[in-house]
Amino acid sequence: LNCSVLHLLHLDTVYVNKTVPPVFHDCPGEFIPGKDEKYALCNITNGDSPCALLKEMHKAKEFRVYGLAVVPIVLSILAMILNITYLIIQLRIYLKEEESARKRYLFLISRSLSTIMALILFYVVIICWKSDGFAYASAMIFLLFGGLNFLSITGTYIALSILLYTAIVHPFYYQSEITIKHCYALIASIWLCSAIASICVGLWGATLFYPDSSPVHCTFRGCQKPLAIIIVIGLSISYGSVLCVYAALIVRLQLRLHRSNSSLTGGIKSDRNDERQLSHVRAMNRLGMNMVTFAVGTVPILIVCIVALVNLRSLSSLGMS
């Protein structure tokens, strides 16, 4: 209505001249007052039309809203529902199973909690992003919980692999010596170590992106670059150790089972023990599928870390504006 009145009064040209920078005079309909003024200062050296670039930028922003917010939120809500449902099922099975199976389900429950925590972290990132509050404190929280999620899952997978291997290869030791209390203590130690390491990653990792607002003084050459290298190497070692431990245990398990079958002479065996061992073998195979998912899903994290390390000097200026 305002634009129509201006047009009738032949004042629309004056209105455009006052609100639209000269570089965008040819596309006043594409220009958004109050948001696009800063782009008038951009230096265009390749001869492209400013209006065409502004239009492409608006398309990119629309894609960012849907591609980085709406669609991921919908998928994350679905994933949250599935993970909570899976967690409830695991808790019910845990309460009904015997102690031998409960040991395994404890680690699966721990993994589900880590996954749910990662989804909650995603919502925190979206809120910080949309509220323009992504600064040192929010970056620290993001890195802290992200590191806690990653390290707790890697620790859980390593412990679960060793636990299942012990259950198959040393069933009597597994039944008599490893108790539920030991599993609780191991899970607690995994989360404790992950929390301590994540606090360090959060406190010092956020300085890589916001060095000026960080309470910890950290220069690029003296602190930021070595710290980034240590973080990337640490995450890579954690990632590789999970796959290496599982692969080594699988190879050793196959060799041991092969030797056991070759030396079998028809002695009396307990059907109950055989059934338990087969159950653990099946669990080990299912864990293998989870390992594949972990390997594929974690590769992007390592790629992002490596890219961030390569472009660290540019990223360190994020908190200066």
Side-chain angles (χ1 to χ4, degrees):
L1 179 61
N2 188 26
C3 293
S4 300
V5 173
L6 289 172
H7 180 71
L8 291 174
L9 296 176
H10 303 285
L11 296 176
D12 50 342
T13 304
V14 178
Y15 178 78
V16 169
N17 289 336
K18 284 186 176 181
T19 58
V20 181
V23 69
F24 297 128
H25 272 180
D26 294 336
C27 51
E30 190 69 35
F31 181 82
I32 302 176
K35 292 185 177 181
D36 292 342
E37 285 82 2
K38 57 186 176 182
Y39 302 119
L41 303 176
C42 295
N43 185 20
I44 303 174
T45 59
N46 56 2
D48 290 338
S49 169
C51 290
L53 294 176
L54 184 64
K55 186 176 181 180
E56 291 297 322
M57 189 203 63
H58 287 165
K59 289 182 179 179
K61 282 190 173 183
E62 291 178 2
F63 173 79
R64 182 186 67 179
V65 171
Y66 289 99
L68 299 180
V70 177
V71 174
I73 286 176
V74 173
L75 294 177
S76 65
I77 291 174
L78 178 61
M80 179 69 79
I81 294 173
L82 293 175
N83 277 281
I84 292 177
T85 304
Y86 184 52
L87 178 61
I88 294 173
I89 294 173
Q90 287 177 331
L91 289 172
R92 289 185 175 181
I93 295 175
Y94 171 80
L95 295 175
K96 294 180 180 179
E97 287 287 345
E98 60 181 9
E99 183 175 346
S100 176
R102 282 187 175 187
K103 300 171 188 176
R104 182 173 73 247
Y105 277 101
L106 272 179
F107 290 93
L108 296 177
I109 291 171
S110 175
R111 186 195 61 185
S112 296
L113 291 175
S114 298
T115 305
I116 293 173
M117 186 181 67
L119 293 171
I120 295 175
L121 174 64
F122 171 74
Y123 299 136
V124 173
V125 173
I126 292 293
I127 293 172
C128 292
W129 172 41
K130 300 307 292 183
S131 62
D132 295 329
F134 212 74
Y136 173 81
S138 51
M140 179 191 68
I141 295 173
F142 170 74
L143 292 174
L144 192 154
F145 281 98
L148 180 61
N149 169 256
F150 181 84
L151 295 175
S152 62
I153 286 182
T154 55
T156 299
Y157 273 130
I158 291 175
L160 187 56
S161 300
I162 297 175
L163 184 74
L164 290 174
Y165 175 82
T166 305
I168 298 170
V169 177
H170 306 288
F172 295 107
Y173 179 84
Y174 175 79
Q175 291 289 336
S176 59
E177 299 296 331
I178 300 179
T179 64
I180 289 290
K181 291 182 179 180
H182 292 145
C183 294
Y184 275 116
L186 181 57
I187 292 174
S189 63
I190 290 173
W191 280 89
L192 179 61
C193 294
S194 300
I196 294 174
S198 300
I199 290 173
C200 296
V201 171
L203 288 175
W204 279 275
T207 62
L208 301 178
F209 307 103
Y210 297 92
D212 287 357
S213 58
S214 168
V216 181
H217 179 68
C218 191
T219 61
F220 178 78
R221 292 188 177 274
C223 175
Q224 292 183 37
K225 191 172 183 179
L227 179 61
I229 294 174
I230 292 174
I231 292 176
V232 172
I233 292 176
L235 293 178
S236 301
I237 291 175
S238 300
Y239 172 79
S241 62
V242 174
L243 302 181
C244 290
V245 167
Y246 181 79
L249 293 180
I250 282 293
V251 171
R252 187 171 179 179
L253 177 62
Q254 293 297 330
L255 293 175
R256 190 179 184 92
L257 291 177
H258 179 72
R259 288 196 301 266
S260 177
N261 292 332
S262 300
S263 60
L264 188 62
T265 58
I268 299 175
K269 297 182 67 177
S270 171
D271 293 337
R272 184 175 179 83
N273 287 336
D274 287 346
E275 183 180 350
R276 284 178 177 174
Q277 282 197 302
L278 288 175
S279 174
H280 293 315
V281 170
R282 287 193 295 267
M284 199 79 171
N285 293 332
R286 288 195 299 268
L287 182 62
M289 292 186 289
N290 292 330
M291 288 293 183
V292 173
T293 304
F294 170 81
V296 175
T298 312
V299 166
I301 298 177
L302 296 178
I303 293 176
V304 169
C305 291
I306 294 173
V307 172
L309 176 61
V310 174
N311 299 278
L312 181 61
R313 184 176 288 277
S314 299
L315 293 175
S316 62
S317 62
L318 286 175
M320 297 180 182
S321 57

